[in-house]
Amino acid sequence: MRFTLSFVASLCAVAGAKPILTPIQMMEAVGPAAGVVITKCSSPGMLALAYDDGPYQYTQKLVDTLTAGGAKGTFFVTGTLYGCIYGQKAALQSAYKDGHQIASHTWTHPQNFGSLSTADLTSQMTKLETALVNIIGVKPTYMRPPYLATGGNVLSTMKTLGYRVITDDIDTGDWNNNTPQQSQALFTRAGASGNGHIPLMHETYASTVNTLTPWLINWAKTNSLKLVTVAECLGDPDGAYVNGTGNSQTAC
């Protein structure tokens, strides 16, 4: 008995008497907390270009534009909003291989996301997780809610599932028919000082991919901003993914 107690005491001493952490607690210990709304980067000198609603026909063009410009982007993707996610498998794999971040924007992008039950929210997230494991081999730990809805059961469910919840601090308004020039003015007005921006943009608009994104790459360079993923801009460069379980599915 004395040996057992002594052995346990030694283990506690070595571990600093700290309790064993769950996987979610371990993740939060080295990155942003899950289930908490994050609007901008944690430090200055960065810009995290973040795109919603894909994958779509412009995904590969956007990947190529970002990569050629020395930029890293974050793709908040859906399962079925603009066609089945498996139809853009090659583009998503290209984005992942080039070091861009793949994150969740739910399976179907429901309009009533903020009023869904915990079970329905969980289904929206896990369906996309499975597809992404099938496509890129890992599941994301970052998500952006459809319509930026964070009420109801959203935050508590995302905390349980281990998701960091991203919204924005600059809404480009591309979804509301803003021209690229109007969106550009928003960045110019906001400026490059303070903690880095996480803008709301959509890869489903040709003008965002072909005009706004190249301008932002140049704007960032002119203002000495590093173009990074959302995870990197939050001091979490290795925390964008965890292992997950896939299946043999190849269609929605």
Side-chain angles (χ1 to χ4, degrees):
M1 177 63 74
R2 289 180 180 176
F3 174 79
T4 301
L5 292 174
S6 176
F7 180 68
V8 171
S10 298
L11 285 178
C12 289
V14 171
K18 295 180 180 179
I20 297 174
L21 301 179
T22 67
I24 289 178
Q25 288 172 327
M26 290 175 65
M27 183 178 68
E28 291 179 347
V30 296
V36 176
V37 177
I38 299 169
T39 62
K40 62 195 310 179
C41 302
S42 58
S43 300
M46 294 175 287
L47 175 61
L49 302 181
Y51 303 86
D52 289 10
D53 289 0
Y56 191 48
Q57 60 179 317
Y58 308 127
T59 301
Q60 188 60 61
K61 173 68 180 297
L62 180 55
V63 170
D64 294 341
T65 299
L66 292 169
T67 301
K72 300 297 183 187
T74 298
F75 295 73
F76 288 98
V77 301
T78 71
T80 62
L81 184 59
Y82 282 86
C84 178
I85 189 172
Y86 290 99
Q88 295 293 338
K89 177 179 178 179
L92 286 174
Q93 290 174 334
S94 176
Y96 179 71
K97 178 178 67 68
D98 283 359
H100 305 293
Q101 182 178 352
I102 308 299
S104 177
H105 198 42
T106 75
W107 182 247
T108 66
H109 199 280
Q111 291 186 352
N112 62 336
F113 189 72
S115 60
L116 292 181
S117 68
T118 296
D120 287 340
L121 289 168
T122 300
S123 177
Q124 283 286 329
M125 302 305 294
T126 55
K127 282 184 178 179
L128 185 60
E129 286 175 4
T130 300
L132 288 175
V133 173
N134 292 344
I135 293 170
I136 62 173
V138 289
K139 69 178 185 180
T141 63
Y142 284 75
M143 66 86 65
R144 183 139 67 180
Y147 307 101
L148 305 184
T150 58
N153 300 309
V154 171
L155 295 182
S156 60
T157 304
M158 295 308 118
K159 181 177 181 179
T160 298
L161 295 175
Y163 275 97
R164 288 74 181 259
V165 180
I166 308 300
T167 57
D168 70 300
D169 73 316
I170 296 179
D171 180 355
T172 65
D174 57 359
W175 57 273
N176 197 31
N177 298 316
N178 270 10
T179 66
Q181 291 71 32
Q182 289 172 316
S183 299
Q184 292 163 18
L186 297 173
F187 286 90
T188 301
R189 191 177 308 128
S193 62
N195 286 2
H197 301 300
I198 304 177
L200 176 67
M201 301 185 286
H202 297 79
E203 63 164 284
T204 53
Y205 296 99
S207 58
T208 296
V209 174
N210 296 328
T211 304
L212 180 58
T213 294
W215 183 88
L216 283 168
I217 292 172
N218 289 329
W219 183 77
K221 291 178 178 178
T222 298
N223 288 280
S224 300
L225 298 176
K226 188 176 180 181
L227 288 158
V228 297
T229 66
V230 168
E232 288 174 310
C233 98
L234 295 171
D236 190 31
D238 300 318
Y241 311 102
V242 292
N243 292 327
T245 302
N247 57 29
S248 60
Q249 188 172 342
T250 59
C252 296

